[in-house]
Amino acid sequence: MSWNEPGGDKKDPWSGRGDQKGPPDLDEAIRTLQEKLGKIFGGGGGGGDGNNGGAPSQFNPANIIKNLGYVAGIAIGLWGLTGFYIVDEGNHGVETRFGRYIGTTQSGLNWHIPAPFERVDIVNVKKNRVIEVGFSSRSAEQSVANDALMLTKDENIVDVRLGVQYQIKDAKDFMFNMANPEATLIQVTKSAERSVIGSSTMDFVLTEGRSEIVTRIKKEIQNVLDSYKSGLQVTSVNLQDAQPPEQVQNAFADAIKAREDQQRLINEAEAYSNAVVPEARGAAARKEQEAEGYKQQVIAQAEGETSRFTKLLGEYTKAPEVTKKRLYLESMETVLSSTSNVMIDVKAGNNVMYLPLDKIMQQQQAQQPSISSNPVVSSDSNSNLRTSHSQAAVEEAAAAERAVSSRGRENDARGR
């Protein structure tokens, strides 16, 4: 039966006290604890015989201090290892000692005095952060009327929606100089936007001035942030939309259409002008050149004729009869060389007429004339054969001869 059942021997198999009755001895429990502590810290047990029992163990102070030093060293080493930290690429670590700024660490493995003395805050300086003014991409209501409606220089209202992207350029300023950097940036953006829009006209904002307005807003925002030493860098400002209020959009669309039609007509007129004006200027320049050429030609021809007549007058003064006859022959040659009529002097005693038919045929083939009738040749024993053309040529030659004769007589009179 069990030791604790009725009728058992009441012996505790774990106590080892045999037949001992009653509670355990307090002195014996203390002595056992001292022995165990002595083994841990290297203390020796006291001597004595088995009948009297062993004396209490004595503590060794040197061993205790040594062991406590080991334990303290291990604890300090483990505490020091907790000061190692890794900063990922694109992040900066801001170290503070009791809340005061110590330094900024770059990416890689770094160490600081562990808590509670120092603390490290990791700041992502490469992340692009975005704020929205005048609209919200996370809300069903795309336009925020209080922030989107703005008054322009010409007292018109426009609906402007702006998105600003920014990064952290200085982790220290970002951590310590502003309590809420994003809220501050939103307020600065609203102020800069209203300042720029308020100094511009409505047409400039809605049409050709978008890029200039974005540049001015970005510059003004950055100037204010730098004056605050916020540690923020504005990377881009995006004008999401700029339009008149919904109530007047239809009228504004009509105005834009009319303006576009006006510009189209202006462009067409300019294109027509660019096509016609140079052509007219070219034609005018060509006429001027032709007139100038004709002027030079007439002047040169007149000068040549004058020079020739002067020289001819000198020759006539020297030999009037010879010069007169030579002029007559040259005039007749010039007149008759351009006609196909043939003149025959029957007084020469040879009335046989020779016609160069081969040359006449070659001339006709070259000019491709349409021959309707052969030339009529009439003979008269008392006069030369003439045609109507030859008669006119002779009359012109006679007039030239008379003019030369009268000029010669005048020169003779001057000579006398």
Side-chain angles (χ1 to χ4, degrees):
M1 74 179 49
S2 174
W3 64 274
N4 57 355
E5 291 181 358
D9 55 3
K10 304 296 183 181
K11 292 183 179 180
D12 186 357
W14 295 282
S15 62
R17 292 193 301 269
D19 296 336
Q20 183 179 356
K21 307 291 184 179
D25 188 4
L26 181 60
D27 293 337
E28 183 180 357
I30 294 174
R31 185 170 59 251
T32 304
L33 179 61
Q34 289 178 349
E35 291 177 356
K36 293 180 179 180
L37 291 176
K39 292 179 181 179
I40 294 174
F41 292 101
D49 53 11
N51 296 329
N52 297 330
S57 302
Q58 301 296 326
F59 290 99
N60 189 341
N63 292 334
I64 293 175
I65 293 174
K66 182 178 180 180
N67 291 329
L68 288 177
Y70 289 152
V71 173
I74 294 172
I76 292 175
L78 294 176
W79 176 73
L81 290 176
T82 61
F84 287 98
Y85 64 96
I86 297 177
V87 179
D88 295 331
E89 184 68 27
N91 296 338
H92 286 173
V94 180
E95 294 183 357
T96 55
R97 182 178 298 164
F98 298 113
R100 183 178 181 180
Y101 173 76
I102 300 300
T104 302
T105 57
Q106 305 297 323
S107 58
L109 181 62
N110 300 276
W111 183 84
H112 71 100
I113 300 175
F117 300 101
E118 291 185 358
R119 174 182 172 181
V120 177
D121 293 305
I122 305 299
V123 179
N124 191 335
V125 296
K126 295 298 182 181
K127 179 182 178 181
N128 279 326
R129 297 169 171 84
V130 180
I131 63 169
E132 299 168 344
V133 178
F135 75 104
S136 177
S137 60
R138 298 180 296 273
S139 175
E141 183 66 26
Q142 293 295 321
S143 177
V144 182
N146 294 333
D147 297 336
L149 297 179
M150 299 186 183
L151 188 65
T152 62
K153 180 180 179 180
D154 51 356
E155 298 182 356
N156 288 313
I157 297 177
V158 293
D159 188 341
V160 180
R161 304 173 188 179
L162 204 66
V164 179
Q165 295 184 1
Y166 67 97
Q167 291 180 343
I168 299 173
K169 67 175 181 179
D170 192 318
K172 173 191 172 183
D173 293 342
F174 177 75
M175 291 288 298
F176 293 98
N177 290 345
M178 291 192 300
N180 192 338
E182 183 172 341
T184 303
L185 179 58
I186 292 176
Q187 296 300 325
V188 170
T189 302
K190 290 180 180 179
S191 176
E193 184 181 6
R194 294 185 183 278
S195 174
V196 174
I197 298 298
S199 61
S200 305
T201 62
M202 183 176 183
D203 291 339
F204 184 76
V205 174
L206 300 180
T207 55
E208 73 275 5
R210 288 173 175 258
S211 59
E212 181 178 347
I213 286 175
V214 167
T215 303
R216 290 169 57 188
I217 291 176
K218 179 181 177 181
K219 182 178 180 180
E220 190 165 342
I221 293 174
Q222 191 62 55
N223 291 337
V224 176
L225 293 178
D226 292 342
S227 66
Y228 290 168
K229 296 182 179 180
S230 62
L232 300 179
Q233 176 69 43
V234 178
T235 57
S236 67
V237 176
N238 301 319
L239 189 60
Q240 301 291 343
D241 194 10
Q243 58 184 359
E246 184 178 357
Q247 294 81 354
V248 296
Q249 282 188 1
N250 293 333
F252 188 78
D254 294 338
I256 291 178
K257 184 178 180 181
R259 186 184 297 111
E260 291 176 351
D261 293 340
Q262 177 188 5
Q263 189 63 38
R264 178 177 57 80
L265 294 176
I266 291 174
N267 294 335
E268 291 178 356
E270 289 180 351
Y272 178 75
S273 174
N274 294 333
V276 172
V277 171
E279 183 178 356
R281 289 176 178 173
R286 180 173 57 81
K287 292 292 185 181
E288 291 178 357
Q289 295 296 330
E290 291 177 355
E292 185 68 23
Y294 178 73
K295 171 185 175 182
Q296 297 297 331
Q297 178 184 356
V298 171
I299 292 175
Q301 185 175 0
E303 291 177 352
E305 292 292 337
T306 303
S307 177
R308 188 176 74 82
F309 186 80
T310 301
K311 294 180 180 181
L312 184 62
L313 180 60
E315 296 296 329
Y316 179 80
T317 304
K318 296 176 182 179
E321 295 298 330
V322 176
T323 304
K324 185 188 300 183
K325 187 175 182 179
R326 183 169 64 86
L327 290 175
Y328 175 77
L329 295 176
E330 288 179 355
S331 299
M332 294 299 295
E333 181 181 2
T334 302
V335 172
L336 297 177
S337 63
S338 60
T339 181
S340 60
N341 295 326
V342 178
M343 299 182 66
I344 301 173
D345 187 3
V346 296
K347 292 181 180 182
N350 185 7
N351 55 359
V352 178
M353 184 177 63
Y354 170 73
L355 297 177
L357 298 178
D358 54 347
K359 293 184 178 181
I360 293 175
M361 294 178 64
Q362 292 177 0
Q363 183 179 2
Q364 290 179 349
Q365 291 177 359
Q367 298 178 356
Q368 295 293 330
S370 58
I371 302 174
S372 59
S373 63
N374 295 326
V376 178
V377 180
S378 61
S379 61
D380 190 350
S381 59
N382 297 323
S383 63
N384 296 331
L385 296 176
R386 297 182 179 87
T387 63
S388 60
H389 295 289
S390 61
Q391 185 177 0
V394 172
E395 291 176 357
E396 291 178 1
E401 181 180 359
R402 288 193 296 273
V404 173
S405 300
S406 62
R407 183 63 58 87
R409 286 194 296 273
E410 291 176 0
N411 292 334
D412 293 338
R414 290 194 190 99
R416 294 190 186 93

